[in-house]
Amino acid sequence: MTRPLRVGIVGAGPAGIYAADILTKDDTLAASGVPVSIDVLDRLPSPYGLVRYGVAPDHPRIKQIQQALHKVLDKPQVRFIGNVEYGRDLKLEDLRRHYDAVVFATGSDRDRPLDIPGADLPGCHGAADFVAWYDSHPDTPDDWRVEGASVAVIGAGNVAVDVARILAKDADDLLETDITDNVHRGLGAKRVTDVHVFARRGIAQAKFTPMELRELDKQPGVEVVVDPEDFELCEASLAAIEESNQVKTNVKILQNWAIRDLRGEPRRLHLHFLHRPVEILGTDRVTGLRTERMELTGDGGVRGTGELVDHEVQAVYRAIGYLGSPVADLPFDEERGVIPNDGGRVLDLDDQPIPGVYATGWIKRGPVGLIGHTKGDALETVTNLVSDRDSLTPAPEPEPESFLRLLGERGVPFTTWEGWQRLESHEEALGEPHGRKRIKVRSREDMTRIARAE
């Protein structure tokens, strides 16, 4: 019988799990009678990555993606191994000893820096840090103080919209979600009355999706304010509206908000377009944000007008994009925050493919697109991996149990798929007395203890 193709996938978020799914369905492997045996590794005790720790808690429809990911990890050819940190517990040579091919799907976990004066002031926060906190990521501090009555969010994508919505929302409106008690307390202590979202380009160039945009206006006690003066369209904007239903829908929603009468709600969420942040004001901490008014150039771009506007805010949240982190033993493109690759084949310093090493998801192409878009990445990567299979160096120790023995010898308290199901049941039990579907376990130690039944 042909030995299974052994593949290790580093990262148990959507990108890694989609790659595992596509591998199990590959027609070429099936036609040649080659079975697959896949380990999906993650540094956290739990799977799902961005879906569990990067999606706002009041987005249950997006979180339902977990159901599809669950089906993949439940396949007999796929094994989840959590609480294993690549670069600390394992190195590339360890993985290559146990797997014929290794796929890195480590995602983008850092905020892209904002290179303007004042960006290092206390009160200026990265969206990635804030999202990780309100999603109860085990590596974040328990407490987060939301400063001030007026706050700014810089960015024009779905993350910026999520952050703005959470800052404006009443904390009690999140009690039906899976947030932890410390997050509810932190959000309950905020005194925010005005959230200002700043986009450098125009309304037709904004990157948020209509679903995310509409949700801003569905919050009790919050009204969305759009300044008609920001409502500028050029030839390229009109073309974009004609070519994209998403752009057309976004513009229509914003037009309706710009012309309607205000309802007088206690909290306001202001959307500002054609404002480029140029300085965060303050000496000891954030006291304001200075922006430059922009104008459209007619080709989809913008240019500065020289007109500066100061906004009184007590905190700034940067949501201008994520970056991946360097991966041990592999080349890394610091500027783009990705592993250099060609179609998912990881490249060395001479731009030559490193045999048997691949990348997929945001660490492959950068944090662009929605969660579902990583399926295309995974398909390309897996297609190339399968086409390379005859040239792969066979793993010296391909037996699945030999990898677990290695972890045991190194004292790594790894978790399993069965352990995750135990943890999942525990979280559901925590939520049941409160009429909630689940309440997350926040502590990594507690997650590991429950998953390992210790």
Side-chain angles (χ1 to χ4, degrees):
M1 179 178 176
T2 303
R3 174 173 78 74
L5 176 68
R6 283 282 286 158
V7 179
I9 299 176
V10 182
I17 296 175
Y18 287 147
D21 188 35
I22 294 169
L23 267 168
T24 64
K25 299 174 179 176
D26 187 84
D27 292 336
T28 303
L29 292 175
S32 60
V34 178
V36 292
S37 172
I38 305 163
D39 285 350
V40 182
L41 316 177
D42 202 275
R43 68 185 188 87
L44 294 177
S46 57
Y48 306 141
L50 182 69
V51 176
R52 181 171 165 90
Y53 291 118
V55 173
D58 56 349
H59 273 177
R61 284 201 302 172
I62 297 178
K63 285 183 175 289
Q64 286 175 0
I65 294 172
Q66 286 189 15
Q67 296 175 9
L69 302 180
H70 183 285
K71 292 178 181 178
V72 178
L73 292 179
D74 210 28
K75 291 185 175 184
Q77 311 99 307
V78 181
R79 184 170 67 170
F80 168 71
I81 304 175
N83 209 37
V84 177
E85 185 167 349
Y86 174 78
R88 183 194 65 185
D89 301 321
L90 298 165
K91 293 187 176 181
L92 183 59
E93 62 181 331
D94 298 315
L95 298 181
R96 300 190 73 169
R97 196 164 75 245
H98 293 272
Y99 303 103
D100 304 314
V102 181
V103 180
F104 287 90
T106 51
S108 300
D109 57 353
R110 294 182 292 158
D111 283 291
R112 186 174 291 277
L114 179 63
D115 188 18
I116 62 174
D120 57 349
L121 282 170
C124 182
H125 309 287
D129 293 335
F130 185 54
V131 171
W133 173 77
Y134 68 58
D135 267 332
S136 300
H137 193 290
D139 292 344
T140 58
D142 282 348
D143 298 325
W144 187 291
R145 183 171 177 268
V146 180
E147 307 96 335
S150 183
V151 300
V153 179
I154 300 173
N158 283 344
V159 174
V161 170
D162 277 353
V163 168
R165 190 181 67 256
I166 295 296
L167 286 169
K169 186 185 285 283
D170 189 299
D172 286 350
D173 291 336
L174 290 168
L175 279 177
E176 60 184 19
T177 73
D178 61 2
I179 64 167
T180 48
D181 289 342
N182 66 299
V183 174
H184 179 251
R185 287 195 304 272
L187 293 175
K190 63 184 172 65
R191 297 293 179 263
V192 174
T193 59
D194 291 87
V195 179
H196 298 266
V197 180
F198 294 93
R200 183 176 62 89
R201 298 202 292 170
I203 57 170
Q205 290 78 41
K207 298 299 183 183
F208 35 66
T209 57
M211 183 183 76
E212 301 274 346
L213 188 59
R214 287 192 182 100
E215 286 185 357
L216 293 179
D217 204 42
K218 295 179 180 179
Q219 304 175 92
V222 179
E223 63 183 334
V224 181
V225 181
V226 179
D227 189 341
E229 289 187 10
D230 294 349
F231 221 89
E232 186 178 332
L233 295 172
C234 63
E235 189 173 322
S237 300
L238 295 173
I241 292 170
E242 289 301 315
E243 294 168 1
S244 168
N245 286 331
Q246 175 172 308
V247 174
K248 182 183 296 185
T249 303
N250 280 346
V251 170
K252 184 176 181 180
I253 294 169
L254 292 166
Q255 280 177 328
N256 290 336
W257 289 348
I259 63 176
R260 70 182 178 182
D261 294 330
L262 297 180
R263 303 190 301 266
E265 300 288 359
R267 298 184 301 284
R268 292 156 295 280
L269 206 161
H270 309 262
L271 300 180
H272 304 274
F273 298 91
L274 297 170
H275 279 265
R276 179 177 72 92
V278 295
E279 184 178 0
I280 297 174
L281 307 175
T283 51
D284 299 325
R285 63 174 305 102
V286 172
T287 59
L289 175 67
R290 178 169 294 159
T291 63
E292 179 185 13
R293 291 285 309 190
M294 310 298 284
E295 61 183 9
L296 299 172
T297 57
D299 58 359
V302 292
R303 61 178 168 237
T305 66
E307 178 188 349
L308 299 178
V309 184
D310 287 355
H311 313 267
E312 185 178 343
V313 297
Q314 294 81 50
V316 173
Y317 291 79
R318 316 181 302 274
I320 57 174
Y322 288 173
L323 286 172
S325 294
V327 179
D329 303 326
L330 295 180
F332 193 73
D333 184 333
E334 290 285 355
E335 184 176 345
R336 296 180 56 219
V338 299
I339 297 173
N341 69 92
D342 180 9
R345 295 183 176 103
V346 173
L347 303 177
D348 63 19
L349 297 178
D350 295 320
D351 289 335
Q352 297 301 308
I354 301 174
V357 183
Y358 303 84
T360 192
W362 283 3
I363 199 65
K364 169 186 173 184
R365 62 177 171 87
V368 179
L370 304 176
I371 291 172
H373 292 161
T374 56
K375 288 183 180 179
D377 285 334
L379 178 60
E380 180 183 53
T381 296
V382 169
T383 299
N384 286 332
L385 187 161
V386 172
S387 70
D388 296 341
R389 72 188 188 282
D390 291 336
S391 63
L392 296 175
T393 301
E397 300 180 44
E399 300 81 12
E401 290 307 311
S402 71
F403 183 69
L404 297 185
R405 284 196 298 272
L406 172 67
L407 296 178
E409 291 166 2
R410 294 186 177 178
V412 179
F414 64 89
T415 59
T416 64
W417 179 237
E418 293 74 17
W420 158 247
Q421 292 175 303
R422 188 159 43 246
L423 175 58
E424 194 172 34
S425 297
H426 181 86
E427 291 184 340
E428 290 169 355
L430 290 177
E432 188 174 352
H434 307 282
R436 297 162 64 181
K437 186 175 181 180
R438 71 190 312 142
I439 296 176
K440 282 181 181 172
V441 174
R442 181 179 179 85
S443 160
R444 180 192 287 264
E445 291 75 16
D446 288 344
M447 292 172 67
T448 302
R449 176 179 50 79
I450 295 165
R452 290 172 60 86
E454 294 176 345

